[in-house]
Amino acid sequence: AQSVTQPDIHITVSEGASLELRCNYSYGATPYLFWYVQSPGQGLQLLLKYFSGDTLVQGIKGFEAEFKRSQSSFNLRKPSVHWSDAAEYFCAVGDEAGGGNKLTFGTGTQLKVEL
Amino acid sequence: EPEVTQTPSHQVTQMGQEVILRCVPISNHLYFYWYRQILGQKVEFLVSFYNNEISEKSEIFDDQFSVERPDGSNFTLKIRSTKLEDSAMYFCASSPGLRSYEQYFGPGTRLTVT
C-alpha cells in the first residue's frame, strides 16, 4: 500500500532563510505527488504537483519541489521564507489503483517562522 | 475563482445522533471526495464518488457512513449514529478528472460529538 512519510513534525526558520521540507513516499508505480498547505482554520490549498516530466516543479507562493525517484523523495523548498508561510504542510501521493484516485497524506510538518 | 464550499463550519451533536455534512463542489467537476482529519492527526481518505456511485472507500467508511448527491450541486456525507471517535474535521474535495487533476478542498466542517 502507498504511504507518505514526513519526518519533521515541526520546523522553525527565520524569515528570509531558506526552507526544505522532507517527504518520502512508498508507491509501486509512478507516483502522482502533491504538496498542500493548511493555514489555521483553513482548508487545504494545493502548492504544487508532480505527474511526469521535469523532476523540478514550480508551484505557487515561490515554492518548488524536486522529485527524486532513486530516493523516493519529493522535498519542498523555498529560497526565502516569509512570515506568512507559517502553516502546516502536507505531502500526498495520489493512487488511482482503487478506481477512486484517493490521496494518501503524510502526517504534516508544522512550519513556524521567526521574525 | 471557483471554490468548494461546506456547511456548517462547525457541528456539535450528541453520540448516537445522525448528522449530515454538506458540500457544494466546483460546478464542472466530476469527482467528489470526503476526507477527515482527527485533531493532531493526518488527513485520511474516506470515500470517492463518481457518476452517482462510490468509486472507492476506505476501511473507515463503514455502514454508518453514506454519501449522496441529491441534486446537481450538493454532495453530502451522512453519519447515521455518531460515535465519540467521529469527532474530526471533515473535508470535501472535488476534481475535474482523475490522474493529473488535483483535488480542490473545501474549508472543512468541524464535527464535535459529545
Side-chain angles (χ1 to χ4, degrees), chain A residues 7 12 18 22 29-30 34 36 38 44 52 57 67 72 81 84 95 100 106 114:
Chain A
T12 300
S18 64
R22 295 183 290 165
T30 301
F34 306 83
Y36 282 86
Q38 184 182 32
L44 297 161
S52 64
V57 293
F67 170 62
S72 297
V81 170
S84 61
D95 178 13
E114 290 182 332

Side-chain angles (χ1 to χ4, degrees), chain A residues 18-39:
Chain A
S18 64
L19 171 70
E20 182 169 27
L21 302 183
R22 295 183 290 165
C23 171
N24 292 96
Y25 68 89
S26 172
Y27 188 68
T30 301
Y32 303 138
L33 295 161
F34 306 83
W35 274 99
Y36 282 86
V37 60
Q38 184 182 32
S39 298

Side-chain angles (χ1 to χ4, degrees), chain A residues 18 31 45 75 104 106 109:
Chain A
S18 64
Q45 182 183 23
N75 294 349
T104 297
T109 296

Side-chain angles (χ1 to χ4, degrees), chain A residues 36 49 51 96 100-101 103, chain B residues 33 35 56 99-100 102-103:
Chain A
Y36 282 86
K49 61 184 179 182
F51 297 116
E96 58 181 14
N101 200 37
L103 294 178
Chain B
Y33 311 85
Y35 292 81
E56 187 176 6
R99 298 188 177 182
S100 63
E102 63 261 35
Q103 295 176 25

Side-chain angles (χ1 to χ4, degrees), chain B residues 17 36 38 60 62 64-65 79-90 111-113:
Chain B
Q17 295 296 303
R36 78 172 186 190
I38 295 172
I60 302 169
D62 61 20
Q64 293 299 310
F65 292 88
I79 309 175
R80 288 190 186 81
S81 179
T82 50
K83 307 181 185 72
L84 294 176
E85 54 265 36
D86 293 327
S87 294
M89 180 73 89
Y90 288 80
L111 176 66
T112 302
V113 182

